[in-house]
Amino acid sequence: MLGGSAAIAVLRYIISLGGTVLLFSLMSEPRLERKKAAVCYACFSVVLIAAAGFWYVVNWESCVKVSAFAMYVCFCCFAFYMSKDSVFLTIYKLTLNFYLLAVFLIVGIEVAIIFFDRNLWADIVTRVILIFLIALFIEKKIKSVIRGFGYYVENELDRFSVAVMLVSILFGIGFILNPNVHDQTPYRLFQIIMNFFLTGVLQLLIFRLYLHIGKEKEYEKENQLMKMNQRLLERNMELLEESVQFGKRIKHDARHHNAVIAEYARRGQKEELLQYLEEYEKETDKSAGETICQNTAVNNILSAYTRKARREQIKVTLDVELDGNLTIPNIDLITILANAYENAIYGCIEVRKQTKERECLIHLMLKRKKNKLVIYCSNTCRIETELKKGQPKPEFTGGIGVLSIIKTAENYDGEYDFKNDHGIFVFRLIMNIPMAEAENKKSEK
């Protein structure tokens, strides 16, 4: 819009493209290492600026009209390759980057026109200052927020929001960059300000909306964890109460047994005494608690939930092979197993409410395969049980546990899936077992 020689045009392209790359790099996670990413961006910039400079010399008029858009489209394609972020998150950051590009492009031109009589160097200096101030603001104030916010956008941003945001910003900035408008009237300046204000507010609203949604999801996870802890405490209280009652019963029965043994001893009836002691031992073995596996914490929680399931007349099949030397903390194991078992029981109870004719079954398998832990849980469920984004909807699980299972599994690079297999809900999980410190040292040597 301000004209100038090819050398000046190339300088402005270098500043604009360099600023765009700098701002995007501050907001995004590169796919490559920092040094390699810098070299790739530098090579790309050299090629693109050379092409733009050649275009400027060959056809100045068309270059002025669409060069900014064309160069940014090329940059977007390259940025998609270079960024490690998801598609939606990359689109959001590129849109924000395009808005910032328009800010230092248009403000630089308008400052040169209004205050410096269309001086090209005023435009260049203004661009450099604005790029520096924007980069400083991103680095100091919003870099960490944007990167943390990326998780929420990646999981919550939908195609409709992306489409509305892109169309609104492209139309707004496209109107501002219209090269056919030459009259710099107060009304034109007002239009530019309002366009920047509205597109900026749109970006801010989207940011605030998905930040709020993301925080709400975090609160939901915390709430689920609290409910899960409450249910685990209830199961532990049940175990403790059963232990106390069992102890009282043993103490009460011991008096009678001691009296019988003393009577046999006084009469000298050794054969009868031995027979009585043998029968007593068999009875004691019958009343002993069920041993599911060697891991005490897992054994206790599975025992508690199995008793609860059988009270609900649910047939339970357990296939558990687990020793006590597992390096996964018990709290993480309990988090996964308790939630999976709780949801399975809930699913069976819901089926029972719907129809009493279907047999309710739960099959839980837990095995170690070298450095992997395999968990499989299937249960009878309602035929209409639906999944959203690969996860069961809360109304079909009681709203408890799925997010806790996923969060815990991801800490061990776990791979999981959920599915409704024609009325049988299946949860599968394979997760890594951390190596013990001694094994780590041995492998390092």
Side-chain angles (χ1 to χ4, degrees):
M1 291 182 184
L2 298 179
S5 64
I8 294 295
V10 169
L11 179 60
R12 291 163 74 187
Y13 286 142
I14 291 173
I15 293 171
S16 299
L17 184 58
T20 302
V21 171
L22 173 63
L23 299 182
F24 184 75
S25 300
L26 289 174
M27 294 185 289
S28 69
E29 291 286 347
R31 186 187 302 274
L32 307 175
E33 296 178 0
R34 288 289 176 183
K35 291 183 179 179
K36 291 182 179 179
V39 171
C40 290
Y41 274 122
C43 295
F44 167 77
S45 300
V46 168
V47 173
L48 190 60
I49 290 169
F54 178 76
W55 187 6
Y56 187 87
V57 173
V58 173
N59 193 333
W60 175 84
E61 186 176 353
S62 64
C63 183
V64 169
K65 287 182 179 180
V66 295
S67 61
F69 284 108
M71 290 180 69
Y72 194 74
V73 168
C74 294
F75 170 75
C76 288
C77 296
F78 188 73
F80 265 107
Y81 169 75
M82 293 295 296
S83 178
K84 192 171 68 174
D85 298 322
S86 65
V87 174
F88 280 175
L89 184 55
T90 304
I91 290 174
Y92 176 84
K93 291 180 178 180
L94 285 171
T95 307
L96 176 58
N97 196 251
F98 183 60
Y99 176 77
L100 297 176
L101 167 66
V103 168
F104 64 74
L105 278 180
I106 300 304
V107 172
I109 292 172
E110 295 300 325
V111 166
I113 292 174
I114 297 172
F115 299 105
F116 296 96
D117 193 26
R118 307 178 74 88
N119 187 286
L120 293 171
W121 292 105
D123 173 31
I124 292 171
V125 172
T126 304
R127 291 187 190 190
V128 172
I129 294 174
L130 284 174
I131 291 170
F132 173 77
L133 292 176
I134 294 171
L136 186 64
F137 179 75
I138 292 175
E139 179 68 29
K140 298 293 183 181
K141 298 294 183 180
I142 63 173
K143 180 178 179 179
S144 59
V145 178
I146 287 179
R147 288 191 172 179
F149 162 75
Y151 173 80
Y152 305 143
V153 175
E154 183 176 351
N155 287 274
E156 304 299 334
L157 194 64
D158 57 275
R159 292 177 176 82
F160 179 76
S161 298
V162 172
V164 171
M165 179 177 64
L166 285 175
V167 171
S168 301
I169 290 178
L170 288 174
F171 269 108
I173 297 175
F175 175 79
I176 296 170
L177 291 173
N178 184 6
N180 295 321
V181 179
H182 302 287
D183 299 330
Q184 298 300 323
T185 63
Y187 179 69
R188 164 69 176 166
L189 186 60
F190 174 76
Q191 286 180 315
I192 292 174
I193 294 172
M194 287 306 298
N195 269 279
F196 273 128
F197 173 76
L198 293 175
T199 49
V201 167
L202 177 63
Q203 287 274 2
L204 181 61
L205 286 176
I206 291 176
F207 179 83
R208 297 292 297 175
L209 171 64
Y210 287 101
L211 189 63
H212 173 75
I213 292 174
K215 287 183 176 179
E216 187 176 338
K217 290 288 185 182
E218 291 294 325
Y219 294 146
E220 182 182 343
K221 289 180 183 178
E222 292 177 6
N223 185 41
Q224 287 194 2
L225 286 173
M226 290 176 64
K227 289 182 178 179
M228 181 203 71
N229 289 332
Q230 179 185 350
R231 295 194 177 192
L232 288 178
L233 286 173
E234 289 175 357
R235 298 291 89 79
N236 287 329
M237 289 297 293
E238 289 177 9
L239 289 172
L240 182 59
E241 186 175 349
E242 288 175 2
S243 299
V244 171
Q245 293 299 326
F246 184 68
K248 288 180 178 179
R249 189 168 64 252
I250 290 177
K251 184 178 180 181
H252 179 268
D253 294 342
R255 295 177 184 174
H256 300 289
H257 294 303
N258 289 337
V260 173
I261 291 170
E263 187 63 25
Y264 278 127
R266 275 194 296 270
R267 294 184 180 184
Q269 298 173 327
K270 294 181 181 180
E271 294 296 331
E272 289 82 355
L273 175 59
L274 290 174
Q275 184 180 354
Y276 178 79
L277 289 175
E278 186 177 344
E279 291 175 357
Y280 178 67
E281 185 178 357
K282 290 179 181 179
E283 189 65 28
T284 304
D285 291 339
K286 287 181 182 179
S287 61
E290 181 183 5
T291 301
I292 298 174
C293 68
Q294 299 302 315
N295 186 296
T296 305
V298 172
N299 185 81
N300 289 341
I301 201 66
L302 291 183
S303 297
Y305 277 106
T306 301
R307 285 193 294 272
K308 180 181 178 182
R310 287 170 179 165
R311 283 197 299 268
E312 297 290 342
Q313 297 180 344
I314 301 170
K315 185 178 179 181
V316 177
T317 302
L318 297 175
D319 184 9
V320 181
E321 297 177 8
L322 196 66
D323 55 34
N325 299 322
L326 205 63
T327 53
I328 298 176
N330 285 333
I331 186 63
D332 291 335
L333 268 178
I334 297 304
T335 297
I336 295 172
L337 293 174
N339 280 304
Y341 214 153
E342 184 89 35
N343 292 341
I345 294 173
Y346 178 86
C348 290
I349 292 174
E350 289 299 301
V351 170
R352 188 68 51 76
K353 289 178 181 178
Q354 191 179 53
T355 174
K356 295 184 178 181
E357 296 177 357
R358 288 184 65 191
E359 184 181 15
C360 292
L361 308 171
I362 294 178
H363 177 208
L364 178 64
M365 183 190 74
L366 177 62
K367 291 187 179 182
R368 177 174 184 168
K369 301 289 186 181
K370 295 183 179 179
N371 65 328
K372 302 285 185 180
L373 184 66
V374 181
I375 299 175
Y376 171 92
C377 183
S378 65
N379 62 274
T380 308
C381 70
R382 292 162 60 183
I383 302 295
E384 61 270 22
T385 298
E386 297 179 6
L387 279 73
K388 181 180 180 181
K389 295 182 179 179
Q391 301 175 20
K393 292 184 177 180
E395 58 265 30
F396 296 107
T397 62
I400 300 295
V402 173
L403 293 177
S404 300
I405 292 173
I406 292 172
K407 189 173 182 180
T408 306
E410 287 176 347
N411 292 336
Y412 299 92
D413 298 323
E415 297 181 7
Y416 55 86
D417 72 336
F418 304 88
K419 69 175 181 178
N420 178 3
D421 189 8
H422 306 291
I424 300 296
F425 187 82
V426 178
F427 160 62
R428 296 180 295 184
L429 169 64
I430 299 177
M431 51 194 278
N432 294 325
I433 300 175
M435 295 175 64
E437 291 185 8
E439 292 178 351
N440 281 328
K441 291 178 181 178
K442 191 180 292 183
S443 63
E444 288 174 1
K445 290 178 181 180

